[in-house]
Structures are given as C-alpha cells and as structure tokens.
Amino acid sequence: MADDKEAAEAFVSEVHKRISNAFDVFDHEFNHTVDVREIGTIIRSLGCFPTEAELHDIIAEVEEEEPTGYIRFEKFLPTMTKVLMEHKFRPIPDDLLLQAFEVLDQQKRGYLEPEELSKYLMQEGETFTQEEMEEMLSAALDPDKNVIFYKDFVGMMTIDDTQ
Amino acid sequence: MCTYIAMKAAILIQRWYRRYIARLEMRRRYTWNIFQSIEYAGEQDQLQLSSFFSFMLDNFSQLNGKEPDLISHLLDPAVDTAVDPVVEDQRQCRYEHILVPESYSGPHLSFPLSVTDTNALLGAFKEQQTLHAKYVLQLLDKTQKFLKQMPNVIYVSSSYAKEITICGDLHGRLDDLLLIFYKNGLPSAENPYIFNGDFVDRGKKSIEIIIILFAFLLLYPDHMHLNRGNHEDHIMNLRYGFTKEVMQKYKTHGREILQLLQDVFSLLPIATVIDNKVLVVHGGLSDHTDLDFLNTVKRHKVKSALRLPKCSVDRKDVRTSSTRQRGGARLHSPHSTGHVPHRRKGHHTRPSSSSSSSSSSSSTPSVCSPHHRPPSPGTPCPTSMLQVPFLDSIVSLAPPQPPRDELEWKQVVDVLWSDPKTQNGCSPNSFRGGGCYFGPDVTEQLLRKHGLCLLIRSHECKQDGYELCHNGQVITIFSASNYYEEGSNRGAYVKLGPELVPHFFQYQVSRCTRKLTLQQRVSVAESSALKALQEKLFAHRSELMTAFQQHDVNNTGKISTAEWTQVVDSVLRLDLPWRTLRPRLVQLAPDGDVEYESCFDSISLGQPIPKVAPNLAETLCRYRTDLEIIFNIIDKDHSGQISIEEFRQTWKLFSSHLNMDVDDKAIDDMARSIDFNKDGSIDFNEFLEAFRVVHKLDIKEQQHG
C-alpha cells in the first residue's frame, strides 16, 4: 500500500513539474503569471485537445475574480492537474480525424478544394481566423494539384507531431 | 449534407489543428528562450572578460619587470584623440596622404557630400564593393566634427515633414536597411529618420551600415538622427564581430578606423525627443534617469559602458552602500564561480549567495581572482575600468575622478542598457548584467516629469519586430529581421505623424522564394537553437559529468529526469525549461531515465587536439572567444601571430585569473607543441580553431555534400 501511495505521489509531482515547465516557457517576467491569451497554448501543448468552449470554461475557472489579463500559476496548477489526472480532452485518433475530413468531402474524391475547406473551417464550428486558415493551407495544399489530399495531410501532421 | 454533422466535423478538425499549432508554438517559444538566454550569457561573458583586463591591471605592479613585453602591449598608452588637437590634425593629415590607387573600382566621395555620393554608396554596397579607407577616415572625421557640436539630447519637430520614421537595431544587416529604404524611401528633408542605435556587430555589413548612416547624417543633418546604442562601444565590438569585420575589410588602416570610430561612437547623441512629446532612446530608463541631467553629461567620456570611470580602491566601499541600483556594475557577480549567473530570476528563486556552492565539487576553474572583492551586487568594482590598449587610452587611468563622472556614467548606461518589465519598480538587469529593468511606474513618472507621452526604445529582439507595453506608453522597435536565425523574427519600423499616433510597418528579408510553413520555420530555428545549446553542454562537460555521476551511484549511466534537470540547470545557469527540452538533447532509456552521457554525443572538436591536458582542452573550448579577443589585442600588427613568450604569459595570467591550477610545464609543453615550425611564434587562430566545437551531423553533411 505504501508503495502505491508513493507511486501516486510521484505521479502527481511529475504532472506538477510538466505543468510548471510548460507554464514557465510563457512566464516572461518570471513572476509566475502568464498572459491569459497564452493559456490555450499551454493547455494544448500539454497534450490536451479541448474545444474553444472547453478552453473558455477552464480560463473562467482559473481567472481572478476581477480579470487582470494574467493568470497566476497557483490558480492554474490545481485545475490543470485535475485535467491531466482525469485525462480530460483526450487526443483525437487519426481515423476519427480522417472521418471528419471525409464528411466534408461529399463527393468522396479523396481531396478537398482549398475554397471548400476554407468555407467549412471559417464558417462552421469554432471558426478559423484568416491567419489560421492561411497557415493551414500553406502546409496542406498539394503544390502541384492545388488541392488538399487530406489523408496525406493528416499523415504528415501526425509525423510532425511525434517528432 | 446535414449541417450538424459538417459542423461537428469542422469542430473536430479545428480542435485538432489548434492543438497541433499550440505544440509548434511551444517549440517556437522555447527556441526563442534558448536564443535569448545564450545571447545574454554572451553579454555576461564580455563583462567577465573585462574583469580579466582589470585583473591584469591589478597585478600590473607585481608583474612589471618580469614580463615587460606583455604588459607593455596590454597597457600601451594610446593618446586620447578626442581631446588632443595635435593628434586630430595628424589624423587629418594621415587620411589626406592616403592614396587611392587607380585600380580601385569602388565609389569615390567628394565633400561636402551630395545625393550623388549617397547614391553611389548605396549602389556600390549592393554590388558588394568596399569603400576605400581614405574615404572612410574622411567621412568619420567629418562625422566626428559634426557630432561634437551636437547636444546629448536632440529635439526634433515633425512639423516640417508629415511623418518621421524610427528604426531600431540593425546589427550589421545591410539587407534590412536597404529594404527599409526601398519600402519607406531614402532619408531626405521630406522623409526624416531616427535610427535608434545598435547599427553594428553580429551582422557582416556593419561598416557599410554606418557609412550609409553617417553619409546621410552629413547630407541631411536636420532630418537624420542617430542615437547611440549599447553596441556603439568598442569593448562590445571586440566580442560581437565589428572589430574583426573592420580589420578584415581594412587590413592597412583598420586600426585607425577603429580608433576614430571609438570617438565617433562616444559622441553619438544619447536621446532624441520628437515634438517635446516622444522620447527615443536605445534601451530605456531607470528611476535615476533625468533628461536635464543627461543633457549636461560629458558623453564622450563614456567610451564604454563596460568600464566605469576610474576610482580608487578606498572610495568604493563608500559607494557600495550609497548606490544600490547600479546598472552595469555587477561585473563581479556574487556567483564568483566559473559560470556567470545568467539567471533572470536568480534573485527570486534562489539566494545568490548560496548558489556558488553548487559547483564547489567540480573540477572546473573558477573565475574568482585572488584579489576578489567581497561580493556585493551593488559594488561598482574598479574592475570595470577596462583598458583595451590599441583602442583606448591609458590617460584616464591616472587622476582620481569625482563621483560626478560615475553618476554621468550611470545615466548613460541606464539609458543604453535597460529593458522594461511589467511590474512596478526598478531593479538591476541581472540577466544582461547591465542597466535596469524598469516598471510602468518608472516610465509614467519620467514621462510626466518631462511632459512626454511616449517612450520609443529598441534593444530587445521581438518576434513581430515591435511590441507595446506599459499601457501603450512604451514601444519597442527592432529592425533586424531573422536576428537569431532565418525566420526567427520580423523586423519593423514605426512612423509618427503630427498626431503622434504610431504606425508600424513589418518586413522580413528572405533568401527563400518559397514561403515556408510554420512547421518548417520552427524546425529550422529550433535545430539551430538546440545546436547552440549542445555546444554549451559540451563546454561544461567535465563539470556536468562529475555532477551526473554523483547521482549515479551504481554507475548505470542513467539518472532520473529530475536529477538531470537539476544538474543541467545548476551547472549551465541558463534559465530554460530543461524538462521540456530533455527529449531533444539526450537519449532516454525505456523506463524514462536519462542516459546522461548521450548529451555530448552530437559534438566533437574541430580538429585533432594539440597535445594538451584534457582539462586544459575543455577550458580552451569554453574560453575560446575570450582568448581570441586577448590574442588579437596582443597581436598589434594583426599578423595572426604572437610570440611563444606572449602566449605563455597570457595563458599564465588568464589561468591564474580563472583560479586554475596549471603547472608551468603543461603550459610550456602546450606552447612548444603548437609552435609547429619552431620559429618562436604561434598562429593563434589556427590553434584556437582546434577548440571550436563542431556538430557531427554537419561534418557528415559536408562530407556527403
């Protein structure tokens, strides 16, 4: 039993360290605060896949009563520890992601026109900004055919991610 | 199609893609942190080197007589040209007697300059031509005469032109300057400019940049304004490449050019005020900054920020208590060990007094000198009174100077070296080692006192080329794109109209025609940052290994992540997220432990090492840049050769300064082994080249490519 407890404590301390390390990268002033706009990056870089709505919920939880534009580490740590311990916002499996692209590819051609993809991602759901869309297309577009072969794209991005 | 399903699909893709971008963003950020940490560590190293020069001076009397050659070289009195009219006349004669050979195909200048001259210069530099030394000296001479009659603080009005353009650091990147001129037009009465310091160092075209800027300054004295930056400083130039650049481009007259530049730099105005409302300075402020006082400073006396005005030893104790917020004075850091504290948060995370113990067990030399003074962060050590002989004068050594000089020095250093911070207050800039961090309250106070509304400063590289802080009261503008690495940042300039509303213009010099994806850009920058970090690890190899092995009692070659992180953090003192970086720097065992020796795998030494003891080799690696600077100073005729005796003496002094125990025989053996042709002289560049670390991957690429 003692071993279990020790192992659990070690696990929690490991999680704390991961959170603290990610937080530190954005703590430019070394005063244990980060800009609230960076919280999403921190949470996602820790391996979480929240939606924007879920992200807003977390931010609401860790923000000061009178929002200052900054998030304090003491407030962020317990919430984020809980998120990681409970394995919330699990990764999206590749096949599910592929299915999502297939849904948008109504004619089942195996590719999407850039206009098509932009229309969906900039008008539906948690819409992309112009900048996000351009960035995605710069990586996703096949330079010769000028379309998105989404299966290749997903494969490529997954490889990038594990590097 | 059912829109609900499409929406769910879109959300899924968006969610996935945003996480992917966040991962990249994290990598981009820590890459940035690595570059910045290493950059500021270099500034600390330079301060440390300046303490070596002082150490030499401290030991001057003791060694005098025994090693007359070396000492006379290092302390060779050059005449302070700024105050000596005779020398000035001589210099004028000097350039007049320089002949421009007929074979010279570069641009010709005729004074007073006209638009034809500036156009010729721009055209020639685009074609990679060099301006003849005669013209360079003449231009510098005219510039010096012009600057001499300028005040410290220049007041300009935007009413003549509709807008005024302010540019930040250029750092020898001519392409950025040319791009600014291309986008924004050449300087003229209708198109005034302020260049906010740091024209030189790092880039390869520093001399071209100052030639262009000075030419426009002489052409449009009322519409072209140059502020001094912390790199307009001959001691900084020794480390950051400008000295080398000039000596390479001007083999015969390089020294004269550098000497004259030292004066020109010290005569550059410190600040510019636009319409009595906008203050433009290179670094920033401290709570001591006072424009009225700044205006009375004898700015040409501050030849280098790394050098306090000479003060006698007994006076310094008094000052310790009176000036706590001293900028640039932590030349002797509380960490009196081989590594300088580069920690930005060192002073709040761990008490500096205790951290020196962390390396007590290591075999690495300490920088603590036998004459080490009681460590106090506020102590303005006389160490900073650095004398670099061929560039500087010994004259300032002799008379004890009034405290006024020091106050003046501090005024200038604070303005040239400080960075803003978000919290209130003013604290020493321990990360850079000079200047202050100033909070919004300090900005507010100064602006209000002088009836100003905005501070524009440069000095820090920003991702987007500019940044606002202190509730919009402070603008940072940085004009060297790709500063750390291709793609690392954009450059920017800012324009102010009569309403004084800032408009920003961004750009990026690109050698690549195809636009890289974010992923590619991040990867390029990241790999170069990681290489720099691997070099740092390698340079501290034995110290790190000793510490690793202390944790590895059973000799397994493995330690836990926590242990590895702690060791690397305490030895390197670079404030970095080591845990995050770990998988990119070391091999991990299947159980997640760190195979610690693997962090040195990717590095080797450039050439077969000359016969030196292993601990000497590591020291040479680590202090290669310092030694190069010192040897270059001793090598007065720039032949690349110094005598064996000079080599031995320097090395002895340097190792005793590092508090390193090297027996004379080892040094003699080393000296003999590198005097390949036994002529009593040493090619130090070749010698030091052997201690340049290289990445094994690069060697392979070269071999295959």
Side-chain angles (χ1 to χ4, degrees):
Chain A
M1 279 314 273
D3 280 358
D4 282 358
K5 201 179 162 209
E6 240 170 62
E9 272 171 13
F11 184 63
V12 172
S13 115
E14 189 60 34
V15 167
H16 280 182
K17 279 175 186 159
R18 275 180 59 208
I19 297 170
S20 150
N21 248 275
F23 193 89
D24 281 355
V25 173
F26 294 86
D27 177 13
H28 307 302
E29 307 257 334
F30 305 96
N31 57 357
H32 308 290
T33 62
V34 296
D35 193 306
V36 66
R37 289 165 293 185
E38 324 249 44
I39 282 291
T41 308
I42 296 172
I43 293 170
R44 289 182 166 121
S45 77
L46 285 165
C48 297
F49 288 66
T51 62
E52 289 293 291
E54 286 162 335
L55 201 58
H56 285 139
D57 291 346
I58 303 183
I59 290 172
E61 199 178 322
V62 298
E63 219 163 22
E64 305 296 312
E65 280 175 22
E66 301 227 341
T68 57
Y70 289 89
I71 301 296
R72 285 188 301 130
F73 184 66
E74 301 98 274
K75 286 212 115 183
F76 181 67
L77 183 67
T79 304
M80 198 60 215
T81 308
K82 201 157 159 263
V83 166
L84 290 179
M85 300 290 283
E86 292 173 4
H87 298 287
K88 285 188 189 169
F89 318 128
R90 301 293 288 274
I92 298 168
D94 281 1
D95 54 341
L96 195 64
L97 184 64
L98 212 51
Q99 277 177 32
F101 277 104
E102 279 163 2
V103 165
L104 303 184
D105 175 20
Q106 286 170 290
Q107 297 154 43
K108 307 294 164 217
R109 293 171 300 187
Y111 64 85
L112 286 160
E113 302 282 346
E115 297 76 20
E116 253 178 311
L117 185 64
S118 305
K119 193 192 84 191
Y120 284 121
L121 297 182
M122 293 180 72
Q123 290 174 10
E124 302 281 348
E126 301 179 316
T127 52
F128 271 179
T129 62
Q130 186 70 36
E131 201 183 347
E132 279 174 311
M133 199 60 237
E134 279 171 16
E135 192 53 61
M136 185 180 198
L137 287 177
S138 77
L141 268 187
D142 181 282
D144 298 326
K145 305 264 165 57
N146 208 36
V147 295
I148 299 110
F149 294 105
Y150 49 82
K151 200 173 172 187
D152 296 349
F153 176 55
V154 168
M156 183 181 87
M157 300 289 264
T158 319
I159 292 168
D160 281 355
D161 216 22
T162 49
Q163 264 174 5
Chain B
M1 175 176 48
C2 170
T3 38
Y4 176 69
I5 293 183
M7 188 186 81
K8 281 201 70 166
I11 290 181
L12 193 94
I13 294 170
Q14 287 152 347
R15 189 152 69 97
W16 163 80
Y17 184 74
R18 284 188 172 126
R19 217 257 355 172
Y20 171 82
I21 290 296
R23 276 293 259 263
L24 276 183
E25 178 65 13
M26 178 59 90
R27 285 166 61 190
R28 194 176 65 79
R29 288 303 180 97
Y30 71 62
T31 296
W32 190 263
N33 290 356
I34 295 172
F35 281 131
Q36 203 179 40
S37 276
I38 291 180
E39 174 184 10
Y40 293 171
E43 290 182 356
Q44 293 261 10
D45 287 348
Q46 187 61 356
L47 293 170
Q48 203 66 25
L49 181 65
S50 76
S51 85
F52 167 67
F53 289 109
S54 333
F55 168 76
M56 305 264 286
L57 287 172
D58 287 352
N59 293 277
F60 171 49
S61 52
Q62 172 202 334
L63 296 166
N64 197 10
K66 270 200 277 176
E67 287 105 27
D69 270 8
L70 176 65
I71 292 300
S72 70
H73 268 138
L74 276 156
L75 302 182
D76 182 30
V79 187
D80 191 341
T81 45
V83 295
D84 190 336
V86 181
V87 174
E88 209 166 281
D89 284 352
Q90 280 173 359
R91 186 162 57 211
Q92 193 165 352
C93 295
R94 232 184 287 159
Y95 76 71
E96 275 172 5
H97 286 109
I98 298 173
L99 288 176
V100 179
E102 279 182 32
S103 59
Y104 171 71
S105 59
H108 295 267
L109 298 184
S110 59
F111 292 84
L113 295 175
S114 68
V115 178
T116 322
D117 295 297
T118 49
N119 284 341
L121 285 173
L122 289 167
F125 291 156
K126 277 180 202 159
E127 302 295 318
Q128 323 296 331
Q129 287 178 330
T130 308
L131 182 65
H132 194 276
K134 178 194 174 92
Y135 297 125
V136 177
L137 286 165
Q138 197 174 1
L139 175 70
L140 292 179
D141 183 66
K142 305 272 187 227
T143 307
Q144 185 195 30
K145 289 203 171 86
F146 169 77
L147 288 176
K148 225 178 237 179
Q149 37 105 33
M150 297 301 280
N152 297 340
V153 183
I154 310 258
Y155 288 83
V156 303
S157 160
S158 67
S159 60
Y160 299 111
K162 286 198 194 80
E163 288 183 308
I164 185 161
T165 306
I166 301 110
C167 301
D169 300 30
L170 287 165
H171 279 304
R173 314 213 174 204
L174 183 63
D175 289 345
D176 285 288
L177 179 62
L178 295 177
L179 189 60
I180 293 169
F181 285 162
Y182 174 76
K183 286 168 71 93
N184 193 53
L186 292 173
S188 69
E190 295 74 42
N191 195 19
Y193 275 90
I194 298 172
F195 285 88
N196 198 20
D198 279 16
F199 318 125
V200 301
D201 276 341
R202 300 181 189 278
K204 293 189 171 71
K205 303 257 174 144
S206 294
I207 189 80
E208 285 82 357
I209 285 188
I210 55 168
I211 288 169
I212 291 175
L213 295 183
F214 290 161
F216 276 114
L217 178 71
L218 294 178
L219 186 57
Y220 302 110
D222 297 329
H223 311 286
M224 179 80 176
H225 309 281
L226 306 178
N227 283 344
R228 187 177 183 181
N230 66 318
H231 277 266
E232 276 68 60
D233 180 322
H234 64 280
I235 295 177
M236 291 296 278
N237 300 154
L238 283 169
R239 176 172 298 264
Y240 291 102
F242 182 50
T243 307
K244 220 180 197 173
E245 180 193 321
V246 172
M247 292 312 298
Q248 273 164 6
K249 288 180 182 166
Y250 296 98
K251 299 238 174 350
T252 328
H253 299 285
R255 242 187 88 182
E256 287 163 69
I257 293 175
L258 286 171
Q259 213 155 31
L260 188 47
L261 265 172
Q262 189 185 330
D263 291 337
V264 174
F265 283 168
S266 67
L267 285 167
L268 285 167
I270 312 293
T272 305
V273 176
I274 305 166
D275 292 345
N276 290 312
K277 286 291 174 201
V278 181
L279 173 65
V280 186
V281 294
H282 179 71
L285 319 163
S286 76
D287 47 3
H288 285 80
T289 302
D290 179 311
L291 289 187
D292 301 323
F293 183 43
L294 196 63
N295 228 338
T296 65
V297 165
K298 293 188 182 63
R299 67 177 186 274
H300 69 268
K301 280 196 187 166
V302 185
K303 291 273 193 280
S304 172
L306 305 193
R307 195 185 114 196
L308 254 160
K310 166 72 177 165
C311 45
S312 60
V313 178
D314 46 305
R315 265 190 44 237
K316 80 173 189 287
D317 299 326
V318 183
R319 258 176 291 106
T320 309
S321 52
S322 62
T323 51
R324 304 227 58 96
Q325 291 273 317
R326 160 160 313 281
R330 284 164 308 288
L331 303 177
H332 265 183
S333 66
H335 308 262
S336 51
T337 45
H339 34 240
V340 195
H342 313 128
R343 308 194 68 89
R344 289 165 284 188
K345 55 181 165 186
H347 53 286
H348 20 155
T349 49
R350 50 184 93 163
S352 47
S353 52
S354 67
S355 50
S356 56
S357 62
S358 62
S359 69
S360 55
S361 59
S362 80
S363 61
T364 335
S366 157
V367 175
C368 156
S369 79
H371 291 241
H372 190 63
R373 287 153 194 93
S376 154
T379 312
C381 299
T383 47
S384 42
M385 177 222 44
L386 165 62
Q387 298 291 336
V388 183
F390 78 83
L391 293 175
D392 202 358
S393 135
I394 195 79
V395 175
S396 57
L397 250 180
Q401 307 205 354
R404 161 111 194 157
D405 273 8
E406 209 188 298
L407 291 173
E408 293 193 354
W409 175 81
K410 180 172 162 43
Q411 280 284 324
V412 176
V413 169
D414 284 348
V415 165
L416 298 190
W417 278 78
S418 298
D419 294 319
K421 59 172 185 173
T422 53
Q423 295 135 309
N424 280 342
C426 194
S427 49
N429 201 330
S430 49
F431 193 28
R432 283 187 194 266
C436 296
Y437 288 118
F438 59 101
D441 56 331
V442 179
T443 302
E444 171 74 37
Q445 207 179 358
L446 182 112
L447 293 182
R448 197 172 343 115
K449 185 163 118 197
H450 295 284
L452 301 161
C453 64
L454 179 66
L455 168 67
I456 299 181
R457 43 89 60 178
S458 300
H459 196 40
E460 282 180 288
C461 181
K462 298 290 176 191
Q463 197 86 52
D464 294 316
Y466 73 93
E467 200 174 276
L468 297 172
C469 63
H470 293 184
N471 308 312
Q473 288 188 313
V474 174
I475 291 173
T476 298
I477 191 86
F478 194 87
S479 300
S481 62
N482 308 311
Y483 178 65
Y484 289 126
E485 174 61 49
E486 183 82 33
S488 69
N489 65 289
R490 289 195 269 187
Y493 55 87
V494 56
K495 298 191 85 157
L496 288 178
E499 300 82 28
L500 301 177
V501 178
H503 294 282
F504 298 97
F505 296 83
Q506 297 171 294
Y507 54 85
Q508 191 149 8
V509 171
S510 176
R511 258 164 241 110
C512 232
T513 44
R514 196 169 57 91
K515 192 174 174 282
L516 297 177
T517 64
L518 182 63
Q519 198 274 333
Q520 288 164 323
R521 273 178 281 148
V522 170
S523 295
V524 168
E526 183 187 43
S527 76
S528 112
L530 289 173
K531 275 184 184 175
L533 213 47
Q534 285 161 348
E535 287 170 21
K536 286 270 167 197
L537 287 167
F538 190 83
H540 293 81
R541 184 178 182 147
S542 60
E543 201 176 340
L544 286 166
M545 280 303 282
T546 310
F548 289 149
Q549 278 157 358
Q550 273 174 2
H551 290 284
D552 180 21
V553 273
N554 297 327
N555 246 333
T556 57
K558 294 188 289 185
I559 53 175
S560 74
T561 297
E563 289 163 340
W564 185 84
T565 312
Q566 186 260 320
V567 167
V568 176
D569 193 45
S570 70
V571 171
L572 258 61
R573 293 181 183 282
L574 295 167
D575 226 336
L576 291 172
W578 293 108
R579 181 173 295 266
T580 313
L581 293 169
R582 175 189 48 128
R584 293 174 184 270
L585 293 169
V586 285
Q587 295 285 332
L588 300 181
D591 61 357
D593 276 359
V594 174
E595 294 174 359
Y596 53 84
E597 224 177 326
S598 63
C599 63
F600 310 116
D601 279 356
S602 58
I603 301 265
S604 65
L605 284 172
Q607 295 169 8
I609 310 175
K611 273 187 209 156
V612 295
N615 66 328
L616 259 185
E618 188 177 310
T619 311
L620 274 160
C621 274
R622 196 188 303 181
Y623 295 104
R624 202 176 59 85
T625 314
D626 288 350
L627 287 166
E628 191 181 350
I629 293 168
I630 296 165
F631 289 151
N632 268 311
I633 289 170
I634 296 171
D635 175 28
K636 298 194 83 179
D637 56 3
H638 302 280
S639 60
Q641 308 251 324
I642 54 172
S643 76
I644 281 208
E645 194 49 31
E646 286 169 332
F647 178 85
R648 284 182 54 232
Q649 298 305 344
T650 313
W651 187 245
K652 268 186 201 170
L653 276 170
F654 195 60
S655 56
S656 72
H657 166 71
L658 298 174
N659 217 6
M660 190 172 49
D661 202 16
V662 184
D663 68 88
D664 286 1
K665 193 173 169 303
I667 293 172
D668 290 347
D669 285 351
M670 176 166 73
R672 259 199 304 279
S673 75
I674 55 177
D675 178 17
F676 302 112
N677 50 5
K678 307 291 168 212
D679 64 351
S681 63
I682 284 174
D683 182 330
F684 58 85
N685 288 316
E686 194 176 308
F687 169 68
L688 290 173
E689 193 56 34
F691 298 94
R692 184 193 294 281
V693 295
V694 291
H695 293 262
K696 287 176 180 164
L697 208 63
D698 292 350
I699 302 175
K700 273 187 211 142
E701 274 167 17
Q702 276 167 15
Q703 282 166 354
H704 294 287

